[in-house]
PDB file of all heavy atoms in Angstrom:
ATOM      1  N   ALA A   1       0.820  -1.214   0.000  1.00 82.00           N
ATOM      2  CA  ALA A   1       0.000   0.000   0.000  1.00 82.00           C
ATOM      3  C   ALA A   1       0.849   1.258   0.000  1.00 82.00           C
ATOM      4  O   ALA A   1       0.489   2.265  -0.611  1.00 82.00           O
ATOM      5  CB  ALA A   1      -0.931   0.000   1.210  1.00 82.00           C
ATOM      6  N   VAL A   2       1.989   1.218   0.679  1.00 83.00           N
ATOM      7  CA  VAL A   2       2.863   2.395   0.741  1.00 83.00           C
ATOM      8  C   VAL A   2       3.370   2.756  -0.645  1.00 83.00           C
ATOM      9  O   VAL A   2       3.357   3.921  -1.051  1.00 83.00           O
ATOM     10  CB  VAL A   2       4.043   2.147   1.702  1.00 83.00           C
ATOM     11  CG1 VAL A   2       5.044   3.298   1.627  1.00 83.00           C
ATOM     12  CG2 VAL A   2       3.547   1.957   3.122  1.00 83.00           C
ATOM     13  N   GLU A   3       3.811   1.749  -1.399  1.00 81.00           N
ATOM     14  CA  GLU A   3       4.337   2.018  -2.730  1.00 81.00           C
ATOM     15  C   GLU A   3       3.227   2.440  -3.691  1.00 81.00           C
ATOM     16  O   GLU A   3       3.397   3.365  -4.487  1.00 81.00           O
ATOM     17  CB  GLU A   3       5.069   0.783  -3.270  1.00 81.00           C
ATOM     18  CG  GLU A   3       6.315   0.425  -2.487  1.00 81.00           C
ATOM     19  CD  GLU A   3       7.254   1.595  -2.304  1.00 81.00           C
ATOM     20  OE1 GLU A   3       7.510   2.333  -3.279  1.00 81.00           O
ATOM     21  OE2 GLU A   3       7.725   1.805  -1.169  1.00 81.00           O
ATOM     22  N   LEU A   4       2.084   1.794  -3.627  1.00 77.00           N
ATOM     23  CA  LEU A   4       0.979   2.182  -4.505  1.00 77.00           C
ATOM     24  C   LEU A   4       0.521   3.605  -4.235  1.00 77.00           C
ATOM     25  O   LEU A   4       0.128   4.327  -5.143  1.00 77.00           O
ATOM     26  CB  LEU A   4      -0.191   1.218  -4.331  1.00 77.00           C
ATOM     27  CG  LEU A   4      -0.022  -0.154  -4.980  1.00 77.00           C
ATOM     28  CD1 LEU A   4      -1.199  -1.043  -4.627  1.00 77.00           C
ATOM     29  CD2 LEU A   4       0.114  -0.031  -6.493  1.00 77.00           C
ATOM     30  N   ALA A   5       0.580   4.014  -2.970  1.00 76.00           N
ATOM     31  CA  ALA A   5       0.131   5.358  -2.609  1.00 76.00           C
ATOM     32  C   ALA A   5       1.044   6.439  -3.175  1.00 76.00           C
ATOM     33  O   ALA A   5       0.646   7.600  -3.267  1.00 76.00           O
ATOM     34  CB  ALA A   5       0.037   5.490  -1.093  1.00 76.00           C
ATOM     35  N   LYS A   6       2.270   6.079  -3.559  1.00 71.00           N
ATOM     36  CA  LYS A   6       3.202   7.056  -4.129  1.00 71.00           C
ATOM     37  C   LYS A   6       2.836   7.429  -5.555  1.00 71.00           C
ATOM     38  O   LYS A   6       3.233   8.466  -6.072  1.00 71.00           O
ATOM     39  CB  LYS A   6       4.623   6.490  -4.125  1.00 71.00           C
ATOM     40  CG  LYS A   6       5.235   6.292  -2.758  1.00 71.00           C
ATOM     41  CD  LYS A   6       6.627   5.716  -2.912  1.00 71.00           C
ATOM     42  CE  LYS A   6       7.310   5.481  -1.579  1.00 71.00           C
ATOM     43  NZ  LYS A   6       8.646   4.880  -1.759  1.00 71.00           N
ATOM     44  N   VAL A   7       2.114   6.552  -6.207  1.00 65.00           N
ATOM     45  CA  VAL A   7       1.856   6.708  -7.630  1.00 65.00           C
ATOM     46  C   VAL A   7       0.679   7.640  -7.852  1.00 65.00           C
ATOM     47  O   VAL A   7      -0.282   7.646  -7.085  1.00 65.00           O
ATOM     48  CB  VAL A   7       1.567   5.335  -8.269  1.00 65.00           C
ATOM     49  CG1 VAL A   7       1.320   5.472  -9.763  1.00 65.00           C
ATOM     50  CG2 VAL A   7       2.718   4.383  -8.000  1.00 65.00           C
ATOM     51  N   SER A   8       0.764   8.436  -8.916  1.00 55.00           N
ATOM     52  CA  SER A   8      -0.374   9.248  -9.327  1.00 55.00           C
ATOM     53  C   SER A   8      -1.419   8.302  -9.894  1.00 55.00           C
ATOM     54  O   SER A   8      -1.251   7.738 -10.967  1.00 55.00           O
ATOM     55  CB  SER A   8       0.057  10.263 -10.388  1.00 55.00           C
ATOM     56  OG  SER A   8      -1.031  10.999 -10.841  1.00 55.00           O
ATOM     57  N   LEU A   9      -2.540   8.115  -9.177  1.00 50.00           N
ATOM     58  CA  LEU A   9      -3.405   6.976  -9.436  1.00 50.00           C
ATOM     59  C   LEU A   9      -4.632   7.250 -10.303  1.00 50.00           C
ATOM     60  O   LEU A   9      -5.416   6.355 -10.537  1.00 50.00           O
ATOM     61  CB  LEU A   9      -3.865   6.383  -8.099  1.00 50.00           C
ATOM     62  CG  LEU A   9      -2.743   5.708  -7.300  1.00 50.00           C
ATOM     63  CD1 LEU A   9      -3.249   5.357  -5.908  1.00 50.00           C
ATOM     64  CD2 LEU A   9      -2.270   4.459  -7.995  1.00 50.00           C
ATOM     65  N   ALA A  10      -4.826   8.456 -10.762  1.00 43.00           N
ATOM     66  CA  ALA A  10      -6.028   8.739 -11.548  1.00 43.00           C
ATOM     67  C   ALA A  10      -5.997   7.997 -12.883  1.00 43.00           C
ATOM     68  O   ALA A  10      -5.108   8.189 -13.696  1.00 43.00           O
ATOM     69  CB  ALA A  10      -6.147  10.238 -11.786  1.00 43.00           C
ATOM     70  N   HIS A  11      -6.973   7.131 -13.093  1.00 43.00           N
ATOM     71  CA  HIS A  11      -7.140   6.409 -14.349  1.00 43.00           C
ATOM     72  C   HIS A  11      -5.923   5.566 -14.694  1.00 43.00           C
ATOM     73  O   HIS A  11      -5.620   5.346 -15.863  1.00 43.00           O
ATOM     74  CB  HIS A  11      -7.440   7.369 -15.504  1.00 43.00           C
ATOM     75  CG  HIS A  11      -8.690   8.143 -15.304  1.00 43.00           C
ATOM     76  ND1 HIS A  11      -8.682   9.425 -14.794  1.00 43.00           N
ATOM     77  CD2 HIS A  11     -10.001   7.825 -15.509  1.00 43.00           C
ATOM     78  CE1 HIS A  11      -9.933   9.867 -14.720  1.00 43.00           C
ATOM     79  NE2 HIS A  11     -10.742   8.912 -15.137  1.00 43.00           N
ATOM     80  N   HIS A  12      -5.226   5.074 -13.678  1.00 54.00           N
ATOM     81  CA  HIS A  12      -4.085   4.199 -13.910  1.00 54.00           C
ATOM     82  C   HIS A  12      -4.473   2.785 -13.559  1.00 54.00           C
ATOM     83  O   HIS A  12      -5.518   2.523 -12.993  1.00 54.00           O
ATOM     84  CB  HIS A  12      -2.892   4.658 -13.072  1.00 54.00           C
ATOM     85  CG  HIS A  12      -2.403   6.013 -13.473  1.00 54.00           C
ATOM     86  ND1 HIS A  12      -1.392   6.661 -12.809  1.00 54.00           N
ATOM     87  CD2 HIS A  12      -2.779   6.859 -14.469  1.00 54.00           C
ATOM     88  CE1 HIS A  12      -1.166   7.828 -13.365  1.00 54.00           C
ATOM     89  NE2 HIS A  12      -2.005   7.978 -14.376  1.00 54.00           N
ATOM     90  N   CYS A  13      -3.610   1.834 -13.931  1.00 61.00           N
ATOM     91  CA  CYS A  13      -3.956   0.450 -13.634  1.00 61.00           C
ATOM     92  C   CYS A  13      -2.745  -0.325 -13.163  1.00 61.00           C
ATOM     93  O   CYS A  13      -1.607   0.013 -13.468  1.00 61.00           O
ATOM     94  CB  CYS A  13      -4.586  -0.252 -14.842  1.00 61.00           C
ATOM     95  SG  CYS A  13      -3.474  -0.512 -16.227  1.00 61.00           S
ATOM     96  N   VAL A  14      -3.034  -1.357 -12.375  1.00 58.00           N
ATOM     97  CA  VAL A  14      -2.008  -2.244 -11.860  1.00 58.00           C
ATOM     98  C   VAL A  14      -2.411  -3.662 -12.224  1.00 58.00           C
ATOM     99  O   VAL A  14      -3.502  -4.110 -11.888  1.00 58.00           O
ATOM    100  CB  VAL A  14      -1.891  -2.135 -10.322  1.00 58.00           C
ATOM    101  CG1 VAL A  14      -0.809  -3.079  -9.811  1.00 58.00           C
ATOM    102  CG2 VAL A  14      -1.580  -0.700  -9.915  1.00 58.00           C
ATOM    103  N   ALA A  15      -1.544  -4.350 -12.940  1.00 58.00           N
ATOM    104  CA  ALA A  15      -1.815  -5.736 -13.296  1.00 58.00           C
ATOM    105  C   ALA A  15      -1.022  -6.623 -12.354  1.00 58.00           C
ATOM    106  O   ALA A  15       0.200  -6.676 -12.429  1.00 58.00           O
ATOM    107  CB  ALA A  15      -1.413  -6.007 -14.744  1.00 58.00           C
ATOM    108  N   VAL A  16      -1.717  -7.287 -11.438  1.00 55.00           N
ATOM    109  CA  VAL A  16      -1.032  -8.113 -10.448  1.00 55.00           C
ATOM    110  C   VAL A  16      -1.356  -9.594 -10.619  1.00 55.00           C
ATOM    111  O   VAL A  16      -0.856 -10.421  -9.892  1.00 55.00           O
ATOM    112  CB  VAL A  16      -1.384  -7.680  -9.011  1.00 55.00           C
ATOM    113  CG1 VAL A  16      -0.826  -6.312  -8.719  1.00 55.00           C
ATOM    114  CG2 VAL A  16      -2.892  -7.716  -8.788  1.00 55.00           C
ATOM    115  N   ALA A  17      -2.180  -9.912 -11.586  1.00 50.00           N
ATOM    116  CA  ALA A  17      -2.483 -11.306 -11.866  1.00 50.00           C
ATOM    117  C   ALA A  17      -2.761 -11.418 -13.353  1.00 50.00           C
ATOM    118  O   ALA A  17      -2.233 -10.638 -14.128  1.00 50.00           O
ATOM    119  CB  ALA A  17      -3.672 -11.755 -11.030  1.00 50.00           C
ATOM    120  N   ASP A  18      -3.582 -12.338 -13.773  1.00 49.00           N
ATOM    121  CA  ASP A  18      -3.902 -12.463 -15.187  1.00 49.00           C
ATOM    122  C   ASP A  18      -5.054 -11.559 -15.575  1.00 49.00           C
ATOM    123  O   ASP A  18      -5.616 -11.670 -16.643  1.00 49.00           O
ATOM    124  CB  ASP A  18      -4.242 -13.914 -15.526  1.00 49.00           C
ATOM    125  CG  ASP A  18      -3.001 -14.785 -15.505  1.00 49.00           C
ATOM    126  OD1 ASP A  18      -1.927 -14.254 -15.817  1.00 49.00           O
ATOM    127  OD2 ASP A  18      -3.121 -15.972 -15.179  1.00 49.00           O
ATOM    128  N   TRP A  19      -5.457 -10.696 -14.642  1.00 42.00           N
ATOM    129  CA  TRP A  19      -6.486  -9.710 -14.935  1.00 42.00           C
ATOM    130  C   TRP A  19      -5.949  -8.342 -14.562  1.00 42.00           C
ATOM    131  O   TRP A  19      -4.906  -8.222 -13.934  1.00 42.00           O
ATOM    132  CB  TRP A  19      -7.769 -10.012 -14.149  1.00 42.00           C
ATOM    133  CG  TRP A  19      -7.609  -9.885 -12.678  1.00 42.00           C
ATOM    134  CD1 TRP A  19      -7.805  -8.789 -11.920  1.00 42.00           C
ATOM    135  CD2 TRP A  19      -7.170 -10.904 -11.765  1.00 42.00           C
ATOM    136  NE1 TRP A  19      -7.543  -9.034 -10.600  1.00 42.00           N
ATOM    137  CE2 TRP A  19      -7.149 -10.334 -10.480  1.00 42.00           C
ATOM    138  CE3 TRP A  19      -6.803 -12.245 -11.912  1.00 42.00           C
ATOM    139  CZ2 TRP A  19      -6.769 -11.046  -9.352  1.00 42.00           C
ATOM    140  CZ3 TRP A  19      -6.423 -12.952 -10.793  1.00 42.00           C
ATOM    141  CH2 TRP A  19      -6.421 -12.365  -9.535  1.00 42.00           C
ATOM    142  N   LEU A  20      -6.628  -7.299 -14.933  1.00 42.00           N
ATOM    143  CA  LEU A  20      -6.219  -5.945 -14.599  1.00 42.00           C
ATOM    144  C   LEU A  20      -7.060  -5.426 -13.453  1.00 42.00           C
ATOM    145  O   LEU A  20      -8.283  -5.552 -13.448  1.00 42.00           O
ATOM    146  CB  LEU A  20      -6.390  -5.015 -15.806  1.00 42.00           C
ATOM    147  CG  LEU A  20      -5.401  -5.224 -16.955  1.00 42.00           C
ATOM    148  CD1 LEU A  20      -5.719  -4.235 -18.068  1.00 42.00           C
ATOM    149  CD2 LEU A  20      -3.972  -5.058 -16.502  1.00 42.00           C
ATOM    150  N   VAL A  21      -6.397  -4.833 -12.491  1.00 43.00           N
ATOM    151  CA  VAL A  21      -7.081  -4.153 -11.404  1.00 43.00           C
ATOM    152  C   VAL A  21      -6.946  -2.666 -11.670  1.00 43.00           C
ATOM    153  O   VAL A  21      -5.872  -2.101 -11.554  1.00 43.00           O
ATOM    154  CB  VAL A  21      -6.448  -4.500 -10.039  1.00 43.00           C
ATOM    155  CG1 VAL A  21      -7.180  -3.777  -8.926  1.00 43.00           C
ATOM    156  CG2 VAL A  21      -6.466  -6.006  -9.815  1.00 43.00           C
ATOM    157  N   PHE A  22      -8.025  -2.016 -12.078  1.00 40.00           N
ATOM    158  CA  PHE A  22      -7.961  -0.589 -12.383  1.00 40.00           C
ATOM    159  C   PHE A  22      -8.029   0.185 -11.084  1.00 40.00           C
ATOM    160  O   PHE A  22      -8.934  -0.004 -10.276  1.00 40.00           O
ATOM    161  CB  PHE A  22      -9.091  -0.186 -13.327  1.00 40.00           C
ATOM    162  CG  PHE A  22      -8.840  -0.654 -14.715  1.00 40.00           C
ATOM    163  CD1 PHE A  22      -9.243  -1.910 -15.128  1.00 40.00           C
ATOM    164  CD2 PHE A  22      -8.144   0.151 -15.600  1.00 40.00           C
ATOM    165  CE1 PHE A  22      -8.987  -2.345 -16.413  1.00 40.00           C
ATOM    166  CE2 PHE A  22      -7.886  -0.284 -16.888  1.00 40.00           C
ATOM    167  CZ  PHE A  22      -8.312  -1.528 -17.298  1.00 40.00           C
ATOM    168  N   VAL A  23      -7.040   1.053 -10.889  1.00 39.00           N
ATOM    169  CA  VAL A  23      -6.858   1.710  -9.603  1.00 39.00           C
ATOM    170  C   VAL A  23      -7.337   3.146  -9.667  1.00 39.00           C
ATOM    171  O   VAL A  23      -6.785   3.962 -10.393  1.00 39.00           O
ATOM    172  CB  VAL A  23      -5.367   1.673  -9.192  1.00 39.00           C
ATOM    173  CG1 VAL A  23      -5.175   2.324  -7.841  1.00 39.00           C
ATOM    174  CG2 VAL A  23      -4.867   0.239  -9.166  1.00 39.00           C
ATOM    175  N   GLN A  24      -8.385   3.433  -8.960  1.00 32.00           N
ATOM    176  CA  GLN A  24      -8.871   4.786  -8.774  1.00 32.00           C
ATOM    177  C   GLN A  24      -9.295   4.860  -7.323  1.00 32.00           C
ATOM    178  O   GLN A  24     -10.469   4.799  -6.984  1.00 32.00           O
ATOM    179  CB  GLN A  24     -10.066   5.077  -9.678  1.00 32.00           C
ATOM    180  CG  GLN A  24      -9.740   5.916 -10.875  1.00 32.00           C
ATOM    181  CD  GLN A  24     -11.003   6.271 -11.625  1.00 32.00           C
ATOM    182  OE1 GLN A  24     -11.814   5.437 -11.961  1.00 32.00           O
ATOM    183  NE2 GLN A  24     -11.163   7.533 -11.895  1.00 32.00           N
ATOM    184  N   VAL A  25      -8.300   4.912  -6.463  1.00 33.00           N
ATOM    185  CA  VAL A  25      -8.555   4.749  -5.045  1.00 33.00           C
ATOM    186  C   VAL A  25      -7.898   5.846  -4.248  1.00 33.00           C
ATOM    187  O   VAL A  25      -7.019   6.557  -4.722  1.00 33.00           O
ATOM    188  CB  VAL A  25      -8.043   3.375  -4.541  1.00 33.00           C
ATOM    189  CG1 VAL A  25      -8.771   2.254  -5.209  1.00 33.00           C
ATOM    190  CG2 VAL A  25      -6.546   3.258  -4.770  1.00 33.00           C
ATOM    191  N   CYS A  26      -8.296   5.956  -3.000  1.00 35.00           N
ATOM    192  CA  CYS A  26      -7.697   6.920  -2.085  1.00 35.00           C
ATOM    193  C   CYS A  26      -6.773   6.177  -1.138  1.00 35.00           C
ATOM    194  O   CYS A  26      -6.876   4.960  -0.988  1.00 35.00           O
ATOM    195  CB  CYS A  26      -8.780   7.662  -1.320  1.00 35.00           C
ATOM    196  SG  CYS A  26      -9.774   6.565  -0.297  1.00 35.00           S
TER     197      CYS A  26
END
């Protein structure tokens, strides 16, 4: 969570498995 929180997250995505988790979170 610490590393993800560093990223500018608007309309970005993180692929951590064989699917995409679209990240628009606080």
